mmCIF file of all heavy atoms in Angstrom:
data_model
loop_
_atom_site.group_PDB
_atom_site.id
_atom_site.type_symbol
_atom_site.label_atom_id
_atom_site.label_comp_id
_atom_site.label_asym_id
_atom_site.label_seq_id
_atom_site.Cartn_x
_atom_site.Cartn_y
_atom_site.Cartn_z
ATOM 1 N N GLN F 23 12.017 -3.068 17.383
ATOM 2 C CA GLN F 23 12.772 -2.532 16.215
ATOM 3 C C GLN F 23 12.329 -3.267 14.902
ATOM 4 O O GLN F 23 12.634 -4.417 14.829
ATOM 5 C CB GLN F 23 14.222 -2.621 16.433
ATOM 6 C CG GLN F 23 14.787 -1.797 17.539
ATOM 7 C CD GLN F 23 14.610 -0.285 17.178
ATOM 8 O OE1 GLN F 23 14.961 0.183 16.188
ATOM 9 N NE2 GLN F 23 13.951 0.407 18.141
ATOM 10 N N ALA F 24 11.593 -2.609 14.026
ATOM 11 C CA ALA F 24 11.181 -3.254 12.950
ATOM 12 C C ALA F 24 11.545 -2.554 11.666
ATOM 13 O O ALA F 24 10.927 -2.767 10.618
ATOM 14 C CB ALA F 24 9.661 -3.521 12.962
ATOM 15 N N ASP F 25 12.498 -1.800 11.821
ATOM 16 C CA ASP F 25 13.005 -1.034 10.570
ATOM 17 C C ASP F 25 13.811 -1.967 9.663
ATOM 18 O O ASP F 25 14.956 -1.698 9.421
ATOM 19 C CB ASP F 25 13.744 0.220 10.976
ATOM 20 C CG ASP F 25 14.848 -0.064 11.961
ATOM 21 O OD1 ASP F 25 14.828 -1.098 12.552
ATOM 22 O OD2 ASP F 25 15.745 0.770 12.056
ATOM 23 N N ASP F 26 13.142 -3.035 9.337
ATOM 24 C CA ASP F 26 13.837 -4.094 8.573
ATOM 25 C C ASP F 26 13.696 -3.721 7.046
ATOM 26 O O ASP F 26 12.714 -3.966 6.424
ATOM 27 C CB ASP F 26 13.064 -5.383 8.819
ATOM 28 C CG ASP F 26 13.919 -6.588 8.328
ATOM 29 O OD1 ASP F 26 14.624 -6.439 7.307
ATOM 30 O OD2 ASP F 26 13.760 -7.697 8.958
ATOM 31 N N ILE F 27 14.754 -3.092 6.648
ATOM 32 C CA ILE F 27 14.706 -2.525 5.265
ATOM 33 C C ILE F 27 14.591 -3.660 4.226
ATOM 34 O O ILE F 27 14.259 -3.426 3.064
ATOM 35 C CB ILE F 27 15.837 -1.582 4.954
ATOM 36 C CG1 ILE F 27 17.153 -2.211 5.213
ATOM 37 C CG2 ILE F 27 15.623 -0.279 5.680
ATOM 38 C CD1 ILE F 27 18.276 -1.554 4.456
ATOM 39 N N ASP F 28 14.993 -4.889 4.600
ATOM 40 C CA ASP F 28 14.918 -5.945 3.622
ATOM 41 C C ASP F 28 13.507 -6.504 3.445
ATOM 42 O O ASP F 28 13.234 -7.255 2.584
ATOM 43 C CB ASP F 28 15.846 -7.130 4.104
ATOM 44 C CG ASP F 28 17.323 -6.726 4.056
ATOM 45 O OD1 ASP F 28 17.518 -5.742 3.234
ATOM 46 O OD2 ASP F 28 18.162 -7.256 4.760
ATOM 47 N N LEU F 29 12.633 -6.144 4.373
ATOM 48 C CA LEU F 29 11.247 -6.656 4.229
ATOM 49 C C LEU F 29 10.378 -5.370 3.942
ATOM 50 O O LEU F 29 10.122 -4.556 4.696
ATOM 51 C CB LEU F 29 10.795 -7.271 5.588
ATOM 52 C CG LEU F 29 11.255 -8.648 5.860
ATOM 53 C CD1 LEU F 29 10.769 -9.170 7.204
ATOM 54 C CD2 LEU F 29 10.922 -9.627 4.690
ATOM 55 N N ASP F 30 9.910 -5.391 2.748
ATOM 56 C CA ASP F 30 9.014 -4.429 2.200
ATOM 57 C C ASP F 30 7.552 -4.785 2.512
ATOM 58 O O ASP F 30 7.317 -5.981 2.730
ATOM 59 C CB ASP F 30 9.296 -4.182 0.756
ATOM 60 C CG ASP F 30 8.615 -2.919 0.121
ATOM 61 O OD1 ASP F 30 9.097 -1.891 0.294
ATOM 62 O OD2 ASP F 30 7.475 -3.145 -0.305
ATOM 63 N N LEU F 31 6.708 -3.776 2.362
ATOM 64 C CA LEU F 31 5.293 -4.104 2.534
ATOM 65 C C LEU F 31 4.812 -5.190 1.509
ATOM 66 O O LEU F 31 3.871 -5.968 1.764
ATOM 67 C CB LEU F 31 4.511 -2.765 2.283
ATOM 68 C CG LEU F 31 3.165 -2.525 2.781
ATOM 69 C CD1 LEU F 31 3.042 -2.868 4.287
ATOM 70 C CD2 LEU F 31 2.765 -1.053 2.529
ATOM 71 N N VAL F 32 5.441 -5.181 0.371
ATOM 72 C CA VAL F 32 5.065 -6.117 -0.692
ATOM 73 C C VAL F 32 6.084 -7.238 -1.009
ATOM 74 O O VAL F 32 6.011 -7.846 -2.024
ATOM 75 C CB VAL F 32 4.610 -5.384 -2.022
ATOM 76 C CG1 VAL F 32 3.449 -4.547 -1.830
ATOM 77 C CG2 VAL F 32 5.813 -4.631 -2.550
ATOM 78 N N THR F 33 7.087 -7.431 -0.129
ATOM 79 C CA THR F 33 7.922 -8.525 -0.222
ATOM 80 C C THR F 33 7.051 -9.782 -0.119
ATOM 81 O O THR F 33 6.166 -9.891 0.710
ATOM 82 C CB THR F 33 8.943 -8.570 0.998
ATOM 83 O OG1 THR F 33 9.755 -7.470 0.821
ATOM 84 C CG2 THR F 33 9.746 -9.806 0.911
ATOM 85 N N VAL F 62 3.832 -9.316 2.589
ATOM 86 C CA VAL F 62 3.840 -8.915 3.984
ATOM 87 C C VAL F 62 2.551 -8.174 4.495
ATOM 88 O O VAL F 62 2.006 -8.477 5.488
ATOM 89 C CB VAL F 62 5.119 -7.977 4.251
ATOM 90 C CG1 VAL F 62 5.071 -7.428 5.687
ATOM 91 C CG2 VAL F 62 6.350 -8.871 4.070
ATOM 92 N N VAL F 73 2.036 -3.997 10.639
ATOM 93 C CA VAL F 73 3.071 -4.443 9.733
ATOM 94 C C VAL F 73 4.402 -4.566 10.380
ATOM 95 O O VAL F 73 5.107 -5.627 10.135
ATOM 96 C CB VAL F 73 3.182 -3.434 8.574
ATOM 97 C CG1 VAL F 73 4.367 -3.756 7.690
ATOM 98 C CG2 VAL F 73 1.843 -3.295 7.765
ATOM 99 N N SER F 74 4.787 -3.694 11.305
ATOM 100 C CA SER F 74 6.105 -3.750 11.917
ATOM 101 C C SER F 74 6.229 -5.002 12.860
ATOM 102 O O SER F 74 7.356 -5.550 12.962
ATOM 103 C CB SER F 74 6.474 -2.519 12.634
ATOM 104 O OG SER F 74 5.405 -2.014 13.290
ATOM 105 N N LYS F 77 6.813 -7.954 10.604
ATOM 106 C CA LYS F 77 8.173 -8.043 10.081
ATOM 107 C C LYS F 77 9.104 -8.615 11.106
ATOM 108 O O LYS F 77 9.953 -9.441 10.704
ATOM 109 C CB LYS F 77 8.651 -6.640 9.795
ATOM 110 C CG LYS F 77 8.042 -6.030 8.485
ATOM 111 C CD LYS F 77 8.601 -4.672 8.210
ATOM 112 C CE LYS F 77 8.047 -4.035 6.927
ATOM 113 N NZ LYS F 77 8.566 -2.652 6.782
ATOM 114 N N ILE F 78 8.862 -8.290 12.366
ATOM 115 C CA ILE F 78 9.733 -8.954 13.378
ATOM 116 C C ILE F 78 9.577 -10.445 13.408
ATOM 117 O O ILE F 78 10.485 -11.204 13.490
ATOM 118 C CB ILE F 78 9.336 -8.315 14.748
ATOM 119 C CG1 ILE F 78 9.830 -6.877 14.907
ATOM 120 C CG2 ILE F 78 10.112 -9.143 15.915
ATOM 121 C CD1 ILE F 78 9.300 -6.129 16.086
ATOM 122 N N ARG F 81 11.071 -12.057 10.362
ATOM 123 C CA ARG F 81 12.543 -12.110 10.393
ATOM 124 C C ARG F 81 12.944 -13.414 11.093
ATOM 125 O O ARG F 81 13.932 -14.047 10.741
ATOM 126 C CB ARG F 81 13.080 -10.824 11.031
ATOM 127 C CG ARG F 81 14.487 -10.697 11.274
ATOM 128 C CD ARG F 81 15.364 -10.956 9.960
ATOM 129 N NE ARG F 81 15.032 -10.083 8.857
ATOM 130 C CZ ARG F 81 15.493 -10.295 7.662
ATOM 131 N NH1 ARG F 81 16.204 -11.333 7.309
ATOM 132 N NH2 ARG F 81 15.133 -9.461 6.701
ATOM 133 N N ILE F 84 12.606 -16.260 8.749
ATOM 134 C CA ILE F 84 13.657 -16.188 7.684
ATOM 135 C C ILE F 84 14.989 -16.702 8.287
ATOM 136 O O ILE F 84 15.643 -17.501 7.621
ATOM 137 C CB ILE F 84 13.773 -14.730 7.146
ATOM 138 C CG1 ILE F 84 12.559 -14.360 6.341
ATOM 139 C CG2 ILE F 84 15.065 -14.645 6.261
ATOM 140 C CD1 ILE F 84 12.426 -12.873 6.034
ATOM 141 N N ALA F 91 12.024 -15.053 1.346
ATOM 142 C CA ALA F 91 11.485 -13.724 1.030
ATOM 143 C C ALA F 91 11.847 -13.432 -0.451
ATOM 144 O O ALA F 91 12.968 -13.602 -0.851
ATOM 145 C CB ALA F 91 11.993 -12.694 1.959
ATOM 146 N N ARG F 92 10.848 -12.974 -1.148
ATOM 147 C CA ARG F 92 11.101 -12.518 -2.571
ATOM 148 C C ARG F 92 10.884 -11.003 -2.590
ATOM 149 O O ARG F 92 9.754 -10.487 -2.721
ATOM 150 C CB ARG F 92 10.138 -13.218 -3.529
ATOM 151 C CG ARG F 92 10.219 -14.744 -3.576
ATOM 152 C CD ARG F 92 9.218 -15.346 -4.464
ATOM 153 N NE ARG F 92 9.304 -16.828 -4.333
ATOM 154 C CZ ARG F 92 8.397 -17.608 -4.946
ATOM 155 N NH1 ARG F 92 7.467 -17.116 -5.754
ATOM 156 N NH2 ARG F 92 8.565 -18.930 -4.855
ATOM 157 N N PRO F 93 11.958 -10.261 -2.487
ATOM 158 C CA PRO F 93 11.873 -8.770 -2.268
ATOM 159 C C PRO F 93 11.410 -8.155 -3.745
ATOM 160 O O PRO F 93 11.790 -8.672 -4.768
ATOM 161 C CB PRO F 93 13.239 -8.339 -2.011
ATOM 162 C CG PRO F 93 14.170 -9.387 -2.447
ATOM 163 C CD PRO F 93 13.308 -10.736 -2.421
ATOM 164 N N PRO F 94 10.741 -7.086 -3.627
ATOM 165 C CA PRO F 94 10.292 -6.370 -4.928
ATOM 166 C C PRO F 94 11.567 -5.797 -5.551
ATOM 167 O O PRO F 94 12.437 -5.355 -4.881
ATOM 168 C CB PRO F 94 9.342 -5.326 -4.416
ATOM 169 C CG PRO F 94 9.702 -5.061 -3.012
ATOM 170 C CD PRO F 94 10.226 -6.373 -2.454
ATOM 171 N N SER F 95 11.520 -5.795 -6.889
ATOM 172 C CA SER F 95 12.708 -5.241 -7.555
ATOM 173 C C SER F 95 12.810 -3.763 -7.439
ATOM 174 O O SER F 95 13.947 -3.153 -7.517
ATOM 175 C CB SER F 95 12.584 -5.571 -9.075
ATOM 176 O OG SER F 95 11.499 -4.958 -9.613
ATOM 177 N N SER F 96 11.732 -3.108 -7.087
ATOM 178 C CA SER F 96 11.724 -1.630 -7.084
ATOM 179 C C SER F 96 11.913 -1.046 -5.671
ATOM 180 O O SER F 96 12.172 0.118 -5.536
ATOM 181 C CB SER F 96 10.370 -1.083 -7.630
ATOM 182 O OG SER F 96 9.338 -1.556 -6.841
ATOM 183 N N ALA F 97 11.884 -1.832 -4.667
ATOM 184 C CA ALA F 97 11.666 -1.276 -3.333
ATOM 185 C C ALA F 97 12.774 -0.422 -2.756
ATOM 186 O O ALA F 97 12.538 0.721 -2.401
ATOM 187 C CB ALA F 97 11.416 -2.419 -2.301
ATOM 188 N N PRO F 98 14.050 -0.881 -2.727
ATOM 189 C CA PRO F 98 15.010 -0.068 -2.036
ATOM 190 C C PRO F 98 15.541 1.200 -2.803
ATOM 191 O O PRO F 98 16.063 2.063 -2.261
ATOM 192 C CB PRO F 98 16.165 -1.053 -1.739
ATOM 193 C CG PRO F 98 15.871 -2.254 -2.614
ATOM 194 C CD PRO F 98 14.673 -2.044 -3.385
ATOM 195 N N VAL F 99 15.164 1.162 -4.027
ATOM 196 C CA VAL F 99 15.624 2.188 -4.932
ATOM 197 C C VAL F 99 14.787 3.486 -4.734
ATOM 198 O O VAL F 99 13.667 3.590 -5.149
ATOM 199 C CB VAL F 99 15.598 1.920 -6.402
ATOM 200 C CG1 VAL F 99 16.351 2.916 -7.243
ATOM 201 C CG2 VAL F 99 16.201 0.416 -6.600
ATOM 202 N N HIS F 100 15.299 4.357 -3.999
ATOM 203 C CA HIS F 100 14.561 5.524 -3.562
ATOM 204 C C HIS F 100 14.473 6.634 -4.472
ATOM 205 O O HIS F 100 13.391 7.235 -4.694
ATOM 206 C CB HIS F 100 15.211 5.996 -2.199
ATOM 207 C CG HIS F 100 14.214 6.262 -1.190
ATOM 208 N ND1 HIS F 100 14.511 6.349 0.131
ATOM 209 C CD2 HIS F 100 12.900 6.579 -1.263
ATOM 210 C CE1 HIS F 100 13.477 6.655 0.799
ATOM 211 N NE2 HIS F 100 12.399 6.777 -0.020
ATOM 212 N N LYS B 28 4.115 -1.516 -5.901
ATOM 213 C CA LYS B 28 3.173 -0.698 -5.173
ATOM 214 C C LYS B 28 2.723 0.543 -5.948
ATOM 215 O O LYS B 28 3.544 1.250 -6.436
ATOM 216 C CB LYS B 28 3.708 -0.240 -3.859
ATOM 217 C CG LYS B 28 4.196 -1.352 -2.928
ATOM 218 C CD LYS B 28 4.618 -0.675 -1.595
ATOM 219 C CE LYS B 28 5.971 -0.042 -1.588
ATOM 220 N NZ LYS B 28 7.067 -0.797 -1.419
ATOM 221 N N GLU B 56 -0.274 0.138 10.601
ATOM 222 C CA GLU B 56 1.179 0.290 10.977
ATOM 223 C C GLU B 56 1.356 1.233 12.097
ATOM 224 O O GLU B 56 0.532 2.211 12.323
ATOM 225 C CB GLU B 56 1.975 0.810 9.700
ATOM 226 C CG GLU B 56 3.430 0.927 9.988
ATOM 227 C CD GLU B 56 4.173 -0.335 10.452
ATOM 228 O OE1 GLU B 56 3.691 -0.988 11.351
ATOM 229 O OE2 GLU B 56 5.216 -0.629 9.918
ATOM 230 N N THR B 59 7.493 3.095 14.626
ATOM 231 C CA THR B 59 8.302 2.339 15.542
ATOM 232 C C THR B 59 9.392 3.196 16.168
ATOM 233 O O THR B 59 9.876 2.863 17.279
ATOM 234 C CB THR B 59 8.915 1.173 14.868
ATOM 235 O OG1 THR B 59 9.565 1.570 13.698
ATOM 236 C CG2 THR B 59 7.858 0.132 14.561
ATOM 237 N N ARG B 60 9.896 4.230 15.488
ATOM 238 C CA ARG B 60 11.008 4.979 16.104
ATOM 239 C C ARG B 60 10.672 6.434 15.929
ATOM 240 O O ARG B 60 10.878 7.051 14.917
ATOM 241 C CB ARG B 60 12.246 4.675 15.377
ATOM 242 C CG ARG B 60 12.776 3.259 15.596
ATOM 243 C CD ARG B 60 14.248 3.181 15.246
ATOM 244 N NE ARG B 60 14.438 3.443 13.836
ATOM 245 C CZ ARG B 60 15.613 3.664 13.243
ATOM 246 N NH1 ARG B 60 16.712 3.570 13.977
ATOM 247 N NH2 ARG B 60 15.708 3.888 12.005
ATOM 248 N N VAL B 63 12.818 9.613 14.251
ATOM 249 C CA VAL B 63 13.936 9.291 13.384
ATOM 250 C C VAL B 63 13.599 9.393 11.863
ATOM 251 O O VAL B 63 12.668 8.845 11.481
ATOM 252 C CB VAL B 63 14.456 7.888 13.670
ATOM 253 C CG1 VAL B 63 15.619 7.518 12.774
ATOM 254 C CG2 VAL B 63 14.932 7.779 15.104
ATOM 255 N N ASP B 110 7.948 6.843 4.397
ATOM 256 C CA ASP B 110 9.200 6.024 4.011
ATOM 257 C C ASP B 110 9.124 4.563 4.550
ATOM 258 O O ASP B 110 9.542 3.649 3.877
ATOM 259 C CB ASP B 110 10.434 6.760 4.584
ATOM 260 C CG ASP B 110 10.770 8.006 3.720
ATOM 261 O OD1 ASP B 110 10.320 8.006 2.515
ATOM 262 O OD2 ASP B 110 11.381 8.893 4.287
ATOM 263 N N GLN B 111 8.616 4.467 5.773
ATOM 264 C CA GLN B 111 8.532 3.212 6.427
ATOM 265 C C GLN B 111 7.647 2.252 5.614
ATOM 266 O O GLN B 111 7.933 1.035 5.426
ATOM 267 C CB GLN B 111 7.941 3.287 7.801
ATOM 268 C CG GLN B 111 8.055 2.089 8.719
ATOM 269 C CD GLN B 111 7.625 2.458 10.076
ATOM 270 O OE1 GLN B 111 7.895 3.555 10.615
ATOM 271 N NE2 GLN B 111 6.894 1.523 10.743
ATOM 272 N N LEU B 112 6.526 2.769 5.039
ATOM 273 C CA LEU B 112 5.631 1.903 4.324
ATOM 274 C C LEU B 112 5.815 1.944 2.821
ATOM 275 O O LEU B 112 5.678 0.850 2.194
ATOM 276 C CB LEU B 112 4.203 2.377 4.570
ATOM 277 C CG LEU B 112 3.651 2.151 6.074
ATOM 278 C CD1 LEU B 112 2.259 2.790 6.150
ATOM 279 C CD2 LEU B 112 3.536 0.606 6.279
ATOM 280 N N PHE B 113 6.123 3.073 2.258
ATOM 281 C CA PHE B 113 5.891 3.271 0.859
ATOM 282 C C PHE B 113 7.165 3.653 0.108
ATOM 283 O O PHE B 113 7.038 4.135 -1.063
ATOM 284 C CB PHE B 113 4.835 4.216 0.560
ATOM 285 C CG PHE B 113 3.459 3.685 1.090
ATOM 286 C CD1 PHE B 113 2.705 4.439 1.967
ATOM 287 C CD2 PHE B 113 2.944 2.482 0.667
ATOM 288 C CE1 PHE B 113 1.507 3.982 2.509
ATOM 289 C CE2 PHE B 113 1.704 2.022 1.147
ATOM 290 C CZ PHE B 113 1.045 2.778 2.067
ATOM 291 N N SER B 114 8.366 3.400 0.686
ATOM 292 C CA SER B 114 9.537 3.634 -0.188
ATOM 293 C C SER B 114 9.504 2.592 -1.247
ATOM 294 O O SER B 114 9.014 1.468 -1.111
ATOM 295 C CB SER B 114 10.754 3.494 0.663
ATOM 296 O OG SER B 114 10.907 2.156 1.120
ATOM 297 N N GLY B 115 9.941 2.960 -2.456
ATOM 298 C CA GLY B 115 9.890 2.028 -3.578
ATOM 299 C C GLY B 115 8.564 2.037 -4.278
ATOM 300 O O GLY B 115 8.387 1.194 -5.199
#
Side-chain angles (χ1 to χ4, degrees):
Chain F
Q23 294 295 307
D25 50 343
D26 194 331
I27 53 159
D28 293 334
L29 282 179
D30 190 85
L31 204 51
V32 296
T33 296
V62 169
V73 175
S74 42
K77 286 183 181 177
I78 291 170
R81 178 51 61 192
I84 292 168
R92 301 176 184 175
S95 60
S96 63
V99 193
H100 224 157
Chain B
K28 300 187 284 276
E56 178 58 311
T59 51
R60 290 196 301 169
V63 175
D110 285 337
Q111 192 174 322
L112 289 173
F113 297 121
S114 66

